[in-house]
Amino acid sequence: MNSIIFTAGARILVALVFVFSLFMLLRGHHLPGGGFIGGLLGAISFIVYALACGSEEARKALRVSPEGLAMVGLGIALAAGLVSALFGDPLFTGQWYWVGGDSYETALFSINSVLVFDIGVYLVVLGGILSLTFAFDEET
Amino acid sequence: MSWLLVMPIAIPFATAVVAFLVRMSPTGRWVSLGGSILSLVASVALLVAVLEHGVIAAQMSNWEAPFGITLVADYLGVVMVVITAITGLATAIYALGEIPERVEKLGYHALFQTLIAGVTGAFLTGDVFNLYVWFEVMLISSFGLLILGGSREQLDAGIKYVALNLVSTLVFLSGIGLLYGMTGTLNMADLRGAIAEVENQGLVTVVAMMFMVGFGVKAAVFPLFFWLPASYHTPSFAVSAVFAGLLTKVGVYAMMRMFTLVFVGDIGFTHEILIWVSALTMLTGVLGAAAQTDFRKILSFHIISQIGYMTLGLALYTPLALMGGVFYLVHHIIVKANLFLVSGVANKLAGHTDLNRIGGLYKSSPFLAALFIVPAFSLAGFPPLSGFWAKYLIVKASIELDAWLIAFVALFVGLLTIFSMTKIWGMAFWKPHPDGYDPTPDRVPDSVRIPMMIPIVGLAAMTIVIGFFPEPFVQFAEVAAMQLLDPAQYVEAVLGAQAEVQADLQADAPAGLQPDATTEEEQP
Amino acid sequence: MEALTALIIGTLVAAAVYLMLARNFMRFLFGLILLSNAANLTIFASGRMTPGAPALVPYGEDAPIGVVGNALPQALVLTAIVIGFGLLAFTLALAFEAYRRLRTMDSDKMRYAEPKEDRKG
């Protein structure tokens, strides 16, 4: 698309939307948000970039192949689900480790498998949607 | 417990991830093979556990039964999982010889393993919506496998396959929506109790028919099978073998599960329809096959006719008939996958799958001919191969019900199956090659031929073993049929001790509504 | 509200069937999209249409307070939409590729996998 306004605007918009997608990813589980919505927003940011500068540029900006990203995401999500078996819980049970306390109210922050699962979902959604849209963009 | 149930699904997924990441190097195919072996080990471990403890169930992430995702393995489910792993392993070995590097680089092994994961998931899940999700996992990877390589025939076949399967999926999905609206639950074990309390039983029958149509397209029964002969002869042989073996059977399995566990309120209507659908499926399939002259097209039509026997086993709804249906499922997956694998070798040796353009295979490779005879005669129901016992059980069940016409159709279809098999035998193996050359096995390098022959030998051996020692298999099928007809054990394994509490709560609630802490607004 | 939704679903299905009866594969695909939306609406309507807050658990509570909407159909619909989106996007890509290679969208002319038999006498 040869519009200088769109190209110039896209640079700011892409960065903003992408950061917002990460915010949505980290906000998930306890509040509205999560990996799926974050992944959609992340994909939108790259699609805007691809519309402004061409999908070749967008692929370069992504650095890795979107299909590979989706498969790695699937692997991460799977691993996050299976890890609970090491702690003797049924599979896909969330594992929580609270730092500086022992529950949601008192702890400063937590290390948990739920976020890892969400990151996996994020990557699956991002990679899956981008591989489809890039393929469409390059075919036409 | 939860480990055992998840592993047969998780291993193929993990294999798919690794195989995709290394798809550019030849390591990918060994990863796929290793993953298939591991899945088989995990499935057998699950089988052993089920034989020991009876029905086992696991709740994902510790959510109690009607609310969370449940995985259940009863006798039918676990035997399907094992047979899926066996077919997966056989085709993974076969793919070592058949699949060219170009296709491997497109991600063949990752798609294949995802397909296996989807099929296994469908066999193990205890939740209707989850079943839908596994269907989709299975469908999308099968779409990919079907058009991988991208020839014109494949694209054409892909369009028809995708279109009709998507329609069936949407019918199934709408059925799920209505089922949830009536009962307020989608857990299969919970549905059994909930569906009996629905006031409007007519609506239940309507939804049952929507499920029957949805599963019927997947299983390729009589008026809904047109996508199958349009597509199964186009992909690579390893892919069509795994499709022929497993995909339609998932539809049959889903039907068996839903129409023994949930939709049993109006058997006189739903199962009666299924009887005639089965009879017509058997007839149209076998007549369609008689009109074809392509190796794989004949086999594709025979899938349809054999599906009729399995659904007949369900439709007659007696212990003996269901036992025959379960036995038939297992026997047919092995035999049909094997026949497609044989057709691949015949294609490699003689150069084509059109029977008019090949021949002379018996003279040049008698070993292959012998290996064709075993599954072909088993399919036709020759004693003492596995197909004989499967057909015997079904026919005996229909005679016991005085359904003479059905029994006659089943036997008649068996006769026509022999006709088709002898046609393939005569045209591909006995008559001399029309182009005059000699299709000796030496025409194909060892590195291709040996991996293609190993699974054929293995599956043929299994057919013979089941044929000569049917006793343990029949006993297994008998227990599986008993569990289907009386799912108390299944329901108890899923809902556990809370089943009684649940029933009490349901009695208090207004009909058709499920009490739930987060859904208080449901009061009418 | 239910009656209106039922009408919408009915209209969508009718339009979908009309489109799917066309020979052009693109129209079939559009029909499929409408049908998929009808199915999603069916699930949504099955969860009962009642006014209620989103089913969110407030900070420090164990359960949502007051009347909340049924969250399960929403989750089911979301899943179904996502899966439908993936499948339909794939189908569109397939249709495009098929158009490029077969040079037709007319399903009657797609006879590569099942060529017309040449009847010999």
Side-chain angles (χ1 to χ4, degrees), chain A residues 43 66-71 121-134, chain C residues 85 89:
Chain A
E67 295 89 356
L69 207 57
M71 288 310 266
V121 173
Y122 180 92
L123 293 178
V124 170
V125 174
L126 183 70
I129 292 180
L130 285 184
S131 56
L132 271 169
T133 43
F134 286 170
Chain C
F85 162 76

Side-chain angles (χ1 to χ4, degrees), chain B residues 225-226 228-233 284-304 353-357 416-417 419-425 427-428, chain C residues 111 113-120:
Chain B
F225 61 74
F226 299 101
L228 194 149
S231 58
Y232 270 25
H233 60 285
T284 44
V286 84
L287 291 176
Q292 300 294 329
T293 53
D294 184 283
F295 207 138
R296 277 204 280 184
K297 280 187 188 166
I298 294 178
L299 294 180
S300 302
F301 272 104
H302 272 296
I303 299 176
I304 300 168
T353 55
D354 188 344
L355 293 176
N356 288 318
R357 294 170 64 179
L416 284 179
T417 311
F419 164 71
S420 282
M421 290 301 130
T422 45
K423 184 165 80 178
I424 296 179
W425 174 253
M427 292 177 85
Chain C
R111 308 272 327 187
E114 297 168 290
K116 280 214 170 69
E117 292 149 34
D118 38 339
R119 306 236 171 258
K120 284 169 236 152

Side-chain angles (χ1 to χ4, degrees), chain B residues 129 132-133 136 139-140 143-144 147 150-153 155-160 162-164 166-167 169-170 173-174 177-178 180-182 186 229-230 233-234 292 297 356 512-513 518-522, chain C residues 20 25 28 32 35-36 39-40 42-43 46-48 50 64 66-73 76 79-80 83-84 86-88 90-91 94-95 97-98 101-102 107 110-115 117 120:
Chain B
F129 195 80
Y132 162 77
V133 174
E136 300 307 298
L139 270 188
I140 200 130
F143 294 167
I147 58 165
S151 75
R152 282 187 183 175
E153 289 79 15
L155 285 169
D156 183 11
I159 292 260
K160 290 160 189 170
V162 168
L164 289 175
L166 281 183
V167 174
T169 298
L170 293 175
L173 187 59
S174 310
L178 294 175
Y180 176 74
M182 284 187 300
L186 286 175
H233 60 285
T234 57
Q292 300 294 329
K297 280 187 188 166
N356 288 318
L513 289 181
T518 59
T519 55
E520 287 141 2
E521 89 298 347
E522 279 191 355
Chain C
M20 283 161 80
F25 185 72
F28 181 90
L32 218 50
L35 194 60
S36 123
N40 291 340
T42 312
I43 300 182
S46 319
R48 304 292 188 276
T50 41
V67 177
V68 291
N70 188 352
L72 185 64
L76 298 185
T79 316
I83 292 175
L87 286 175
L88 292 170
F90 176 88
T91 316
L94 175 67
E97 184 67 15
R101 296 286 305 279
L102 310 177
S107 48
M110 294 183 179
R111 308 272 327 187
Y112 288 92
E114 297 168 290
E117 292 149 34
K120 284 169 236 152

